[in-house]
Amino acid sequence: MNNTIEIKNLHKSYGLTKVLHGIDLHISTGQVIGYIGPNGAGKSTTVRILAGLDGSFSGDVYVNGISIKEDPIAVKKIIGYIPEVAELYEVLTPMEFLTLMGKLHGLSESVTQQRAIDMLGHFGLTDHLNNRMDTFSKGMRQKVLITSGLLHNPQIIFMDEPLTGLDANAVMMVKEIISKLASEGKTIFYCSHMMDVVEKVSDRIILINQGQIIADGSFAELKRQHNDSLENVFANLTGQEGHSGRADSYLKSLNQDG
Amino acid sequence: MDKLLVKFALLFSPLLKKSGIQPEALEIILLTKLKMDGRRSNSFNRGFNKGDRSDGIFILIAVNFLMSAFTLILVSKFDLAVTGLSFFLSIYIVILTFTLISEFTEVILDVKDNFILLPRPVNDKTISASRILHVFIYLFKIMIPYSIPGIIYVVINYGLGATLIFFFQMILCTVISLLIVNLIYLALAKYVSSQKFKDVLGYFQIAFSMLIFAGYYALPNLFDFEKAADLNILDKWWALLIPGSWAASLNPLILDFNTSTMCVALSAIAFLLPLTSVYLIFNVFAKNFNQRLVSIAYGGSNREQANKTTSQTSKNKLRDFWAAKITASPEEEEVFKLSWNLTGRNRTFKLRTYPVFGMLPAFFIYLALDKGDTVAERVNNFEQGSMYVTLIYMSIFGILTPLINSQFSDNPKASWIYNLIPTKTAGPMLLGNLKCILVKFGFPIIILSTITILMVWGVDKFDSVLIGMINTILFSLFFVLWKMKRTPFSIPWQDQSKGSQTTKLFIFMFLLSVLGLAHYLLLKQPIILWSIGAAGLFLIIVLYKYLNRVSWNEIVS
């Protein structure tokens, strides 16, 4: 199987703070990768670099054999990116926003609008297509954001916490969308700290902590190696054990009088 | 109009393509950005925001047209074209520079672009080009309305030749403004982090509104335009420092063949500077602009965080001192502290409050120095008169503005905590907030105006100051009781202009001016004046008690 994403010795720092300490990763076509780690582990940074948003790193990153440093535009053409925070131009309507996104990917206006109407319709937003997004709830914005990342039918999709703010029905639908996309042979890089979802959608789980990969394998493999649930494996490897003890101490604070 | 302008820019598509720009992407980005401009609120349309379409831009155009016409009234007092034009063009540069920085920076430095546009297959050159064109179109919308009154004036007074030069001068000054703005950005990007960056922009907005206000109200009364009518700016060395005179010097150079050293030097600056700046803007500043944006958005906030905590602890001492001194219960004390913190840290609150403290003195100067032909005469009339009564009653605006603004917030939902205050009445909540505003904003103003009055009009005016102070506090209590029975910081800013608040405010202003007038008329009747003061003091006590007993049922949250 050929490698869709190849990362070699990736280092990244912001000023003096080192965020990534030498990530090495090979991802084959059609895999769904669950990229997990505690807050501040470097998940979003990795995704931003892979999506070509941040060119100031050291190491080599190839997407579909294209070096992201040398030709970020070629990479951006074949990927879809769904960022962590719902960053949208809120004064626009979903239709206007998606038209912008589609056109930037070289789709014609009619194709973009047809797809936008269809896709948002399935998300139950038909009545809101022409309302400004500044009145939208978190979940509605997230639906527009997910659609904007998939609109141009990309080969590789990077998702950073795509389920934020969605209700249970929408979550199930997005999970289904992810598995269907995978069965069509798309590569999905799924970034999250919600273990249960990661467990269900991913073929392969990569756990990072403090900018380094500390576990890599299918859920079954990780379970076999550690003989535990993903949550506990996570706690184990990121050095955050003894939750029960810490919960006790937390509540004990209530008994202290200044 | 937007579509037309974009279409015009795209006429150069083949040329754009050659230089690596993607015309299709450029078109959709520009059209979208312009659409967004029309829906954004700016300094001029804050009140009637939320309306649809291109209100924002329309108001911007109208305001610039009016400012231009107003400037021309002052310009017409100068005999010499070169002096008048220096003045007119300098004001244009100031307005343009400040408008660009205060209104447009957030658009131009929109960090959202990094999430929305950067992941798409659009190259840096296209994004830079879209930014530059976006700025040009925006400039166009300021330049044209500002030019039109100018053109009419120049045609009538100086003839056709001067008009042709005038077109060129406007473009020249636009380029000079752009250079100044770029230099400021460059400095900010280098020394300031993202959070601070927005604060600095806020200060620019505050400074801008104060400047405009002070310029148009105070300047005409502080400056003897009549005396300066025959001023020839070419005789003054400081003309070299005034950007407007660089461009204005082209008039005598071309039309009168004035080849004095000064005139030639100014014109030389006028020619060389834009060329250098266009080169600099395109080749130095536009380079890596996006990368620098990312660094503003994500980089280096640690050091600043440390600074922030230290400066805040020292301020806390003042806060805690007053909170302990002036409040009656622990709950009231906490409300006081919370209001203190929120008013000090919320950018929107500062933006809508602080300009008043610049406008008040400017407006006072405008009112006070109105009588007399020369500045000296005006100052003399001022010292002889009774303007101090006006000053006393004007200071209440310095309390009312923050008081009214303390109802609003960027996240009004967070005000649920007020509903959990475990007190029998809502009094501590209302009083805690009011006392905070009085101490934080009222005291400094009252002290400042007292010092001014005692210094200008003498110590014997202290009785008036004292009575005025009583009335001021009385009025703020009255105001809270009458129209602020609600949880603080609980209305979204967007709703600021909604509702019947304005009528009530007018009634309130009317009452205030009646009181001020009464005070003025009774200046010669100290006994009546003092009885009013005593009655005021008594009323303060009554209202205070009443306010303390306001029940939670009356509170709007």
Side-chain angles (χ1 to χ4, degrees):
Chain A
M1 221 189 268
N2 60 328
N3 283 333
T4 301
I5 299 172
E6 261 192 284
I7 303 177
K8 288 179 195 156
N9 198 22
L10 173 61
H11 286 265
K12 165 78 194 170
S13 36
Y14 291 115
L16 294 173
T17 337
K18 284 205 99 181
V19 186
L20 298 177
H21 304 262
I23 302 259
D24 283 290
L25 201 55
H26 304 276
I27 296 167
S28 324
T29 309
Q31 275 191 331
V32 179
I33 302 295
Y35 199 59
I36 60 175
N39 293 333
K43 294 185 301 269
S44 297
T45 307
T46 318
V47 177
R48 274 219 303 279
I49 290 172
L50 282 169
L53 298 190
D54 194 337
S56 60
F57 57 86
S58 69
D60 293 311
V61 179
Y62 295 93
V63 177
N64 253 12
I66 310 161
S67 162
I68 194 133
K69 249 191 187 155
E70 277 159 29
D71 196 354
I73 301 292
V75 172
K76 287 174 187 176
K77 275 187 184 152
I78 51 171
I79 62 158
Y81 172 60
I82 300 166
E84 184 181 8
V85 261
E87 295 286 10
L88 304 155
Y89 297 130
E90 279 121 7
V91 291
L92 296 180
T93 68
M95 279 310 274
E96 288 166 343
F97 183 72
L98 292 177
T99 308
L100 168 72
M101 296 288 100
K103 276 196 157 179
L104 289 180
H105 275 286
L107 298 180
S108 74
E109 193 157 328
S110 57
V111 171
T112 312
Q113 295 192 342
Q114 197 47 53
R115 285 187 191 175
I117 293 170
D118 272 2
M119 293 168 86
L120 290 180
H122 294 304
F123 265 136
L125 290 182
T126 308
D127 295 340
H128 302 278
L129 291 175
N130 296 310
N131 295 348
R132 279 199 217 170
M133 294 189 282
D134 44 13
T135 56
F136 280 22
S137 70
K138 234 177 178 180
M140 289 159 83
R141 287 176 199 207
Q142 194 63 25
K143 287 172 182 174
V144 177
L145 203 63
I146 291 173
T147 309
S148 81
L150 300 177
L151 194 67
H152 53 289
N153 199 13
Q155 278 307 304
I156 304 159
I157 301 150
F158 298 104
M159 299 181 169
D160 200 344
E161 296 287 1
L163 304 180
T164 321
L166 293 181
D167 61 32
N169 286 326
V171 166
M172 291 209 288
M173 185 169 153
V174 174
K175 278 199 253 178
E176 274 305 306
I177 291 173
I178 293 175
S179 8
K180 297 243 153 87
L181 285 169
S183 65
E184 282 175 24
K186 314 238 159 174
T187 310
I188 295 168
F189 197 91
Y190 184 97
C191 218
S192 180
H193 49 246
M194 288 163 77
M195 303 299 158
D196 50 336
V197 184
V198 173
E199 212 177 288
K200 282 194 191 110
V201 301
S202 331
D203 310 322
R204 176 177 165 198
I205 292 166
I206 293 160
L207 176 54
I208 72 163
N209 190 27
Q210 297 179 347
Q212 280 174 318
I213 295 177
I214 51 172
D216 181 354
S218 70
F219 175 54
E221 282 166 1
L222 289 181
K223 208 171 168 183
R224 204 177 323 125
Q225 280 166 26
H226 300 272
N227 202 13
D228 221 334
S229 73
L230 187 56
E231 263 185 348
N232 287 335
V233 172
F234 181 86
N236 236 322
L237 291 174
T238 55
Q240 295 263 333
E241 281 174 277
H243 290 110
S244 166
R246 284 196 296 137
D248 275 342
S249 326
Y250 177 85
L251 289 175
K252 259 185 203 143
S253 315
L254 294 176
N255 297 327
Q256 289 166 354
D257 295 326
Chain B
M1 182 164 92
D2 288 343
K3 273 199 180 141
L4 224 75
L5 288 170
V6 174
K7 280 268 173 313
F8 178 75
L10 288 172
L11 286 180
F12 304 97
S13 283
L15 205 76
L16 295 176
K17 240 180 210 158
K18 220 174 220 172
S19 53
I21 292 164
Q22 302 152 283
E24 299 84 15
L26 184 69
E27 181 181 6
I28 183 76
I29 294 175
L30 265 181
L31 283 176
T32 311
K33 292 270 173 182
L34 291 170
K35 200 181 280 168
M36 285 159 57
D37 277 353
R39 296 180 189 173
R40 246 168 3 100
S41 66
N42 57 42
S43 305
F44 310 115
N45 73 344
R46 271 186 191 136
F48 15 170
N49 186 13
K50 287 278 150 182
D52 214 14
R53 313 317 304 176
S54 38
D55 276 10
I57 288 302
F58 175 74
I59 289 166
L60 186 76
I61 290 174
V63 165
N64 277 294
F65 188 88
L66 285 176
M67 283 204 276
S68 170
F70 205 79
T71 310
L72 284 171
I73 297 175
L74 299 179
V75 167
S76 67
K77 303 200 171 165
F78 293 110
D79 295 338
L80 277 173
V82 63
T83 312
L85 278 173
S86 296
F87 188 73
F88 183 78
L89 294 170
S90 298
I91 300 246
Y92 172 66
I93 292 176
V94 171
I95 289 176
L96 191 58
T97 306
F98 272 92
T99 317
L100 280 177
I101 290 179
S102 62
E103 301 301 332
F104 207 55
T105 304
E106 271 181 73
V107 180
I108 247 331
L109 300 187
D110 195 346
V111 191
K112 278 188 183 165
D113 283 2
N114 290 316
F115 294 94
I116 299 170
L117 297 180
L118 236 50
R120 315 291 153 184
V122 185
N123 57 28
D124 261 14
K125 268 192 181 155
T126 308
I127 294 183
S128 306
S130 77
R131 287 215 168 99
I132 293 168
L133 280 175
H134 189 190
V135 175
F136 273 122
I137 292 175
Y138 190 82
L139 283 176
F140 214 66
K141 291 175 181 167
I142 300 175
M143 196 171 114
I144 299 299
Y146 195 86
S147 305
I148 290 171
I151 293 170
I152 297 169
Y153 181 85
V154 173
V155 168
I156 295 172
N157 289 290
Y158 310 133
L160 260 175
T163 314
L164 287 178
I165 300 172
F166 182 74
F167 285 117
F168 183 69
Q169 284 166 328
M170 285 301 288
I171 295 172
L172 209 65
C173 291
T174 310
V175 175
I176 292 173
S177 293
L178 272 180
L179 178 74
I180 299 172
V181 172
N182 269 288
L183 286 174
I184 293 173
Y185 282 167
L186 200 67
L188 289 181
K190 199 158 189 182
Y191 298 109
V192 173
S193 81
S194 71
Q195 189 51 39
K196 259 277 149 63
F197 192 82
K198 286 184 180 156
D199 284 341
V200 174
L201 285 190
Y203 296 135
F204 265 102
Q205 282 171 322
I206 293 170
F208 184 40
S209 41
M210 295 211 281
L211 198 78
I212 293 291
F213 202 83
Y216 285 101
Y217 278 101
L219 193 69
N221 284 353
L222 281 177
F223 190 73
D224 279 329
F225 280 93
E226 316 295 338
K227 214 190 260 174
D230 56 351
L231 174 75
N232 185 352
I233 200 149
L234 294 178
D235 294 340
K236 307 286 178 198
W237 65 268
W238 42 259
L240 282 170
L241 303 177
I242 299 177
S245 62
W246 303 339
S249 72
L250 295 178
N251 272 55
L253 183 81
I254 298 172
L255 297 177
D256 311 334
F257 307 108
N258 182 336
T259 48
S260 66
T261 327
M262 189 60 164
C263 192
V264 173
L266 288 172
S267 306
I269 300 178
F271 264 108
L272 291 177
L273 196 79
L275 291 178
T276 351
S277 38
V278 168
Y279 173 82
L280 286 176
I281 289 169
F282 278 88
N283 291 299
V284 183
F285 300 146
K287 229 183 206 172
N288 300 326
F289 197 64
N290 286 328
Q291 289 299 332
R292 214 163 38 234
L293 267 184
V294 175
S295 74
I296 291 180
Y298 293 105
S301 53
N302 289 341
R303 196 186 48 204
E304 227 159 310
Q305 212 60 40
N307 286 343
K308 223 168 187 165
T309 24
T310 43
S311 75
Q312 261 158 19
T313 33
S314 62
K315 265 190 214 157
N316 283 352
K317 274 187 194 155
L318 188 67
R319 180 198 71 187
D320 293 344
F321 172 79
W322 281 108
K325 272 265 179 301
I326 207 170
T327 57
S329 68
E331 291 84 8
E332 199 183 309
E333 190 176 337
E334 287 316 306
V335 172
F336 182 102
K337 287 182 185 169
L338 182 59
S339 293
W340 189 289
N341 289 341
L342 290 178
T343 52
R345 293 179 200 176
N346 186 317
R347 207 180 315 126
T348 321
F349 179 88
K350 290 196 242 176
L351 267 181
R352 312 244 168 144
T353 308
Y354 288 137
V356 170
F357 300 110
M359 290 175 191
L360 277 181
F363 193 60
F364 180 69
I365 290 172
Y366 165 74
L367 284 178
L369 296 183
D370 202 25
K371 292 183 196 101
D373 292 331
T374 66
V375 172
E377 208 174 298
R378 281 177 220 151
V379 170
N380 189 40
N381 284 338
F382 169 66
E383 283 170 353
Q384 301 306 319
S386 314
M387 278 309 285
Y388 59 92
V389 180
T390 314
L391 185 58
I392 294 170
Y393 287 92
M394 259 173 67
S395 16
I396 199 164
F397 289 96
I399 297 170
L400 275 190
T401 310
L403 192 62
I404 292 173
N405 286 347
S406 75
Q407 302 172 99
F408 300 97
S409 170
D410 289 325
N411 46 349
K413 281 182 188 155
S415 68
W416 57 269
I417 48 160
Y418 290 103
N419 296 316
L420 298 185
I421 299 174
T423 49
K424 268 190 200 142
T425 69
M429 175 181 80
L430 298 174
L431 283 170
N433 187 49
L434 172 65
K435 284 176 184 174
C436 169
I437 302 291
L438 278 177
V439 170
K440 198 174 178 182
F441 300 97
F443 281 12
I445 299 171
I446 291 175
I447 291 170
L448 255 178
S449 51
T450 306
I451 293 174
T452 313
I453 290 168
L454 298 187
M455 277 182 14
V456 176
W457 287 280
V459 188
D460 58 321
K461 300 293 179 282
F462 191 71
D463 51 351
S464 270
V465 172
L466 208 62
I467 291 163
M469 222 189 299
I470 291 172
N471 286 336
T472 303
I473 293 173
L474 181 67
F475 255 69
S476 5
L477 277 166
F478 178 56
F479 190 75
V480 172
L481 255 180
W482 189 27
K483 57 170 308 236
M484 275 187 56
K485 279 193 262 180
R486 56 161 50 253
T487 41
F489 305 101
S490 62
I491 316 175
W493 281 109
Q494 296 93 283
D495 297 351
Q496 196 184 19
S497 55
K498 278 189 193 154
S500 62
Q501 306 226 337
T502 2
T503 12
K504 278 191 177 177
L505 202 63
F506 270 117
I507 299 173
F508 187 81
M509 298 297 168
F510 177 73
L511 286 176
L512 192 71
S513 19
V514 169
L515 197 70
L517 191 68
H519 189 146
Y520 173 75
L521 293 175
L522 292 170
L523 279 177
K524 301 261 154 61
Q525 314 281 342
I527 296 167
I528 305 180
L529 207 56
W530 277 110
S531 342
I532 291 181
L537 209 56
F538 175 73
L539 266 177
I540 286 181
I541 297 167
V542 173
L543 284 185
Y544 182 89
K545 294 233 155 126
Y546 186 74
L547 199 57
N548 212 1
R549 282 193 218 119
V550 169
S551 99
W552 283 106
N553 297 332
E554 295 176 59
I555 296 294
V556 188
S557 59

